[in-house]
Amino acid sequence: MDFLVNHRGIDKNCPRTWVKQDSKGVAGGFPYTEEQLIVLFRSCDINQDGRLSKQELKNMFNKLGSRFASWRVFRALHHADANGDGYISEEEFSDLVRYILFKCNYRIK
């Protein structure tokens, strides 16, 4: 055989498509700061009512580069929507910021 194949039949010379990580397992780029995320949240509040709807949250996660924005919206509401109204209000922004910074690990490329 001209190529190396491991026990699962995958060519070891096949190029990888995922993001390269450093020695600590962190993808390239810089993490967002809390201030940057707050500015992003306010810019995604289309109707300027002081809270983010599910669609506005989905748009925000798309801007952050999420591949599964709808799932992230579900998880974000689970973590940050304290009153259960289906929106992230100004009072709940800090919980959403903590969720994104510590659970999602989005980075500026």
Side-chain angles (χ1 to χ4, degrees):
M1 278 193 203
D2 292 355
F3 56 92
L4 298 173
V5 178
N6 71 10
H7 70 281
R8 292 188 180 143
I10 299 172
D11 180 359
K12 288 189 177 186
N13 296 319
C14 178
R16 307 274 195 273
T17 57
W18 57 77
V19 177
K20 291 185 179 180
Q21 298 180 343
D22 64 11
S23 61
K24 296 180 183 176
V26 178
F30 299 99
Y32 282 93
T33 65
E34 191 170 333
E35 293 79 24
Q36 289 170 322
L37 289 174
I38 290 171
V39 168
L40 179 63
F41 298 152
R42 295 216 167 106
S43 72
C44 289
D45 186 13
I46 305 296
N47 57 5
Q48 301 296 316
D49 63 352
R51 57 189 193 160
L52 295 176
S53 67
K54 290 178 184 178
Q55 185 59 49
E56 291 168 337
L57 279 170
K58 187 175 179 181
N59 293 342
M60 183 198 61
F61 280 111
N62 282 329
K63 285 183 181 181
L64 287 170
S66 177
R67 286 195 261 167
F68 306 106
S70 296
W71 184 79
R72 285 288 178 201
V73 169
F74 170 76
R75 297 301 299 160
L77 287 171
H78 174 76
H79 284 280
D81 186 17
N83 61 6
D85 65 351
Y87 293 89
I88 301 295
S89 63
E90 295 261 352
E91 297 81 26
E92 298 164 333
F93 272 174
S94 61
D95 294 332
L96 183 60
V97 167
R98 278 194 298 273
Y99 168 72
I100 290 175
L101 287 176
F102 301 115
K103 297 283 186 179
C104 300
N105 196 26
Y106 289 113
R107 303 178 80 73
I108 301 170
K109 306 235 186 294

